Amino acid sequence: MKIVVIGDVHSNLPALEAVMKEIRENIKPDAILFAGDAVGYGPWPGETIDILKENVDFGVLGNHDAGIVGKTNINDYYDAVRYVINWTTDILTNDQFAFLDRLKYIHVDDRAHCLLSHGSPRMPERYDYIFNCRGVNRLYDVAPFLQKVNFVGHSHYTNLFLMTGNNQSVELNISGGEVDISTIPNPVVCVCGSVGQPRDGDPRSSFVSYDTEKQILRYHRVEYDFELTINKIKALRLPASFGERLRNGC
Ligand SMILES: [Fe+2]
């Protein structure tokens, strides 16, 4: 089967629409997995949730989503982030709120032999980032629970880590193209990028797809009109920096 993993949409509707068009027209997957953070930062939370609700087969709870439904303490977040989380909470319908509230911290897909979590799957409710091999090496603590492919989001980067045994791992620094993992015996950690707020210097939306039979991971980039998002953020008087950063993908 072919699956797609999208995450960190952050209420960026033009980005999500462009990604869904690419998925529909050129990938045609058997399932779409959502790696968390539907909302936060951006100006279209309700519309974003409605599209995810219609199209996603399985999803997990991101830290911004958790802030909305009261499953994480947002007092540690900086003021602008907290402001948008509170603004989002006020405008969601009960149905949209319920979609976020139903999301679990972790999803194991037996058909695709993969695991999905927003941050590190070691203690997913803590939302630890996986930025480097140090974060991956901690996953040896939960090795029996890992799958062949372990998808994470949260960092807004793309990457691929190979767990090489003996509490070690290797970082491949992947930002595009395909990787054949069929001959790799150990689990891999695939960092799936961000639809709505990529931070690797490339403003295009990023996500991944995986062919479970051929065991090929593919890293995708899609252009969208980020000026629409920047203008909407300004019109709603949300923190302007959450729009401006979209131009540079940072
Ligand atoms: Fe995020």
Side-chain angles (χ1 to χ4, degrees), residues 35-223:
D37 271 0
V39 299
Y41 299 124
W44 285 286
E47 294 87 342
T48 295
I49 291 173
D50 288 344
I51 290 177
L52 294 174
K53 206 151 47 107
E54 279 296 300
N55 291 282
V56 162
D57 294 278
F58 297 102
V60 291
L61 187 74
N63 56 308
H64 288 252
D65 309 325
I68 299 289
V69 298
K71 292 180 181 169
T72 196
N73 181 3
I74 64 168
N75 290 332
D76 295 339
Y77 296 169
Y78 61 97
D79 289 353
V81 170
R82 263 203 334 268
Y83 178 85
V84 178
I85 288 177
N86 289 328
W87 173 82
T88 300
T89 306
D90 286 345
I91 64 168
L92 291 185
T93 65
N94 289 343
D95 273 2
Q96 291 160 350
F97 183 94
F99 170 79
L100 298 181
D101 204 27
R102 277 194 300 272
L103 296 172
K104 309 282 183 228
Y105 289 109
I106 213 159
H107 170 73
V108 174
D109 196 319
D110 294 327
R111 288 186 310 163
H113 304 291
C114 72
L115 176 151
L116 177 71
S117 61
H118 185 62
S120 169
R122 180 169 165 267
M123 297 174 77
E125 71 285 356
R126 281 181 32 160
Y127 294 112
D128 292 332
Y129 287 94
I130 292 197
F131 277 130
N132 50 37
C133 289
R134 216 147 28 107
V136 175
N137 294 347
R138 290 195 189 104
L139 297 181
Y140 283 96
D141 294 350
V142 292
F145 301 103
L146 298 179
Q147 301 293 309
K148 173 71 188 274
V149 189
N150 302 277
F151 292 103
V152 301
H154 197 26
S155 67
H156 297 210
Y157 286 82
T158 55
N159 214 333
L160 182 65
F161 297 91
L162 312 183
M163 297 179 74
T164 50
N166 295 322
N167 296 325
Q168 299 297 309
S169 55
V170 172
E171 178 180 7
L172 296 190
N173 269 319
I174 301 284
S175 60
E178 287 185 353
V179 186
D180 181 344
I181 59 167
S182 61
T183 58
I184 296 171
N186 294 333
V188 305
V189 177
C190 174
V191 189
C192 72
S194 169
V195 169
Q197 200 185 89
R199 292 180 187 160
D200 57 0
D202 182 340
R204 295 176 299 167
S205 295
S206 55
F207 65 99
V208 298
S209 62
Y210 180 51
D211 184 320
T212 63
E213 272 90 47
K214 294 180 183 155
Q215 298 193 31
I216 290 176
L217 282 164
R218 180 164 190 162
Y219 292 76
H220 301 262
R221 302 299 301 223
V222 172
E223 281 185 20

